Amino acid sequence: MNIDEATTKVPRSGVSPTDEAELAAFILDSHARVAPMRIAGGGTRVQAEAVDAEQTISTSKMCGIVTYEPGALTLIARAGTPLCDVEDALAAEGQTLAFEPMDHRAILGSEGAPTIGGVVSANVSGPRRIQAGACRDHLLGVRFVDGRGRMIKNGGRVMKNVTGLDLGKLLCGSYGTLGVLTEVALKTLPLAEAENSLKFPSVTSREALEVFVSALATPFEVSGAAFHAGTAWLRVEGFEAQVDYRVNRLKELFSRREIDIVTHDASRAVWRELRDVKHFSSSKDAIWRILIKPTDAPDVMEALRQLGGEASVDWGGGLIWFSGAAPSAAVRKAVGAGRAMLVRPGSLPAANLFPPEGSAVARISAALRKTFDPAGILNPGLMGD
């Protein structure tokens, strides 16, 4: 871990720094004045009204791909780099970000362009998480500026780089409360040659979970398992011959159920919409992201139905999206031991987007914030997952 102090003077106002040194100087000045700030990348994810700060600092000008080595399956990009630029560069080499980060603009009604720093800061992970893991599992290294204005580097460009504490795991999912990312190193993977989906129409949430449990227990490498509006979906990706074989074996496994096969581009379109939760884009109600044990999904879905609104499932039952007007306390009670994050407040208060932490976790969180942001100036009011 390398730490440097910033010494350059910058104006005492919201800024869009062009490099790490300028960012560090601004944060150092804000730390001295105990001036809270809202951190923004493309402005597509964090709710501004949930952050108790008048000044904003944007990473949008710290952009660009630093290095991309397709043969080594690694990419380093500055935090403000638009996600689409990263995806386009990877696609040109037949590669992708395997954790397929979602685009929140459809459900938040936000504009701008999602940034790779925002993806990492929020640990944004899509349907393929059940097979490939989350964003943090693909993070090789980071550079960031903490709440004291210290420039910190941790990790490297290869998975075997172990450099003491893995600060990337802390920063990934911290929503900017521990530091402002300036650069991220990510593992890339080849883009699948083919993709097919099995569609199970007219099923209940319990029947969908039965399908997910059975399918995910097979060796057929299911890369997506989702449920919405009475339809369950399974996705299979890989080389074309492999995909055909796996789909046929899954059809045999579920021969007693009605199944439709959706192929290639049509399948990709389905999973983009499921990934981005576009089925809730027209809703005016609050939208919740709920993490639970997959086996609890049917009971939690039923409890949420009692509150009104609509729910869908991803990650084989591990993630529930819920849209409804019920009060926050009622939703969190229905979720039980799960974790419910208020992604879009709707008519609900914007405070308390994250559920309360248990006493042990709260102590650890407080200790981390004291270490990296003792003045509490970085995105005050937000909590990482």
Side-chain angles (χ1 to χ4, degrees), residues 85-148:
D85 289 358
V86 172
E87 292 177 327
D88 288 347
L90 295 178
E93 297 291 339
Q95 295 184 0
T96 188
L97 296 174
F99 55 93
E100 57 178 335
M102 73 173 288
D103 185 339
H104 286 75
R105 288 177 291 185
I107 58 174
L108 296 182
S110 55
E111 299 179 352
T115 62
I116 193 64
V119 167
V120 173
S121 182
N123 190 32
V124 181
S125 312
R128 204 178 289 116
R129 179 172 183 171
I130 60 174
Q131 181 193 55
C135 172
R136 61 168 52 98
D137 299 310
H138 297 255
L139 187 63
L140 303 176
V142 294
R143 291 185 66 95
F144 66 99
V145 178
D146 74 357
R148 302 180 187 217

Side-chain angles (χ1 to χ4, degrees), residues 120-123 136 169-179 181 354 369 379 382-385:
V120 173
S121 182
N123 190 32
R136 61 168 52 98
K169 295 293 192 294
L170 287 179
L171 271 290
C172 191
S174 67
Y175 289 83
T177 59
L178 299 178
L181 288 168
F354 293 89
R369 292 190 181 97
N379 272 349
L382 287 184
M383 297 168 58
D385 61 351

Side-chain angles (χ1 to χ4, degrees), residues 1 44 66 83-84 130 156 220 239 247 253 280 314-315 317 329 346 385:
M1 180 172 69
T44 61
V66 178
L83 176 61
C84 60
I130 60 174
F220 304 136
F239 293 111
V247 167
L253 177 64
F280 288 160
D314 203 344
W315 298 357
D385 61 351

